[in-house]
Amino acid sequence: EVLNEDVIYSDDETESAFSRTLRYEAAHYLQVTFTMGDKYRPKDWADLIPLDSVRAGYGPFITQTVQPKGALHHSCLEYATPAGENLHFVNQQYKDLFHRRFPHCVDDLEAMTPSGAVPNFGECDDGTYPVQACAPNALMCANPEDTPDQFVIFNVPLGIDYLPAGSMFLDQKVHVQLVVQAYNVDDDPSEITKTTLTASVPVIPGGQNIFCDGIIGRADLADIARAVILIGSAHDEGELSRITIIGEDEERIANTKLDPKEPRKVSASSIESGLMTLVVLGNATYFDNPEQRNSFR
């Protein structure tokens, strides 16, 4: 979920809004991709991947999954019909929480963001408002109607905070098993060929990404920090005047707009005039005030 903050962290006159990803209650899913042979096509009266064949779980091996949370379960059936006897999608509220982590449109943004920080992602085609614009637009358990390039993408919903802790020993893996059914264009179209696909993906430390922080964070740095380049070095305070400093006052070298700059010549009178040091200075009004960065907690 995206949180917006409208606090101005820099000394600039223009106001800035900051978007952060809510790091808990993450929606985890597994994306399966594969290609089919040129002779195979999905039937118009049968799903390419029967939803009741899709099973997912985690553990060292597909035959040795972690009970009960990581047990192999019919993830697409649970997703389609939330119920109390399900392992993960136990009710509609859980499914709605899962959906809110992906792009969707709502009629009332303020109702979705009771804190008052309303994201501004434009408008949807029907006049409603998009939420989570920076997250991947992934449809779960959606069969392709056609495969002109023979390439298939299928998203398997796992659940909220589903993934196990990463391991460098590759002993924690997410497993998925599903059936693919299609017909051969050279054979009787009423006949269907079926095969079972099984995949295991290891979960490793550092192997997870937070989409919104990664996309929006690239535009935030210039507003909460500034960078300067020092040319030369100083042995003591008396030699500071020999150093050339680029980036002081109104000049900014960390310009996120990527405006082209004319090359310039610089020099220094210190003994190490060829030494170049990049210094990033954080804005104290942001880094020294925890209340202004509460969404990092």
Side-chain angles (χ1 to χ4, degrees), residues 133-156:
C134 55
N137 189 7
L139 297 178
M140 301 296 147
C141 300
N143 272 288
E145 296 181 358
D146 193 13
T147 55
D149 54 359
Q150 301 301 101
F151 187 73
V152 179
I153 298 177
F154 189 83
N155 296 315
V156 180

Side-chain angles (χ1 to χ4, degrees), residues 84-200:
E85 62 270 17
N86 290 347
L87 188 60
H88 295 285
F89 290 89
V90 295
N91 51 44
Q92 187 61 42
Q93 288 74 21
Y94 186 97
K95 184 175 180 178
D96 291 341
L97 176 63
F98 186 89
H99 277 177
R100 286 203 297 270
R101 300 298 181 261
F102 300 95
H104 58 284
C105 296
V106 297
D107 295 323
D108 188 356
L109 271 180
E110 294 185 1
M112 294 291 296
T113 54
S115 63
V118 179
N120 182 13
F121 298 136
E123 290 188 6
C124 298
D125 294 337
D126 58 357
T128 56
Y129 301 95
V131 180
Q132 286 286 78
C134 55
N137 189 7
L139 297 178
M140 301 296 147
C141 300
N143 272 288
E145 296 181 358
D146 193 13
T147 55
D149 54 359
Q150 301 301 101
F151 187 73
V152 179
I153 298 177
F154 189 83
N155 296 315
V156 180
L158 299 176
I160 299 294
D161 293 332
Y162 175 86
L163 292 177
S167 171
M168 294 302 297
F169 298 100
L170 307 182
D171 56 347
Q172 289 298 332
K173 302 175 183 178
V174 176
H175 311 282
V176 63
Q177 187 178 71
L178 52 84
V179 172
V180 179
Q181 57 183 14
Y183 74 96
N184 190 326
V185 295
D186 294 335
D187 296 337
D188 185 350
S190 63
E191 297 181 357
I192 292 182
T193 300
K194 295 185 179 181
T195 186
T196 300
L197 298 183
T198 303
S200 298

Side-chain angles (χ1 to χ4, degrees), residues 79 106 125 127 141 177 190 218 223 268 275 277 294 297:
Y79 174 79
V106 297
D125 294 337
C141 300
Q177 187 178 71
S190 63
R218 65 188 179 191
D223 292 310
L275 178 64
T277 306
N294 55 5
R297 291 184 243 169

Side-chain angles (χ1 to χ4, degrees), residues 255-268:
N255 189 342
T256 57
K257 295 181 180 179
L258 300 178
D259 295 332
K261 298 292 183 181
E262 293 294 330
R264 55 179 294 186
K265 294 182 179 181
V266 296
S267 61

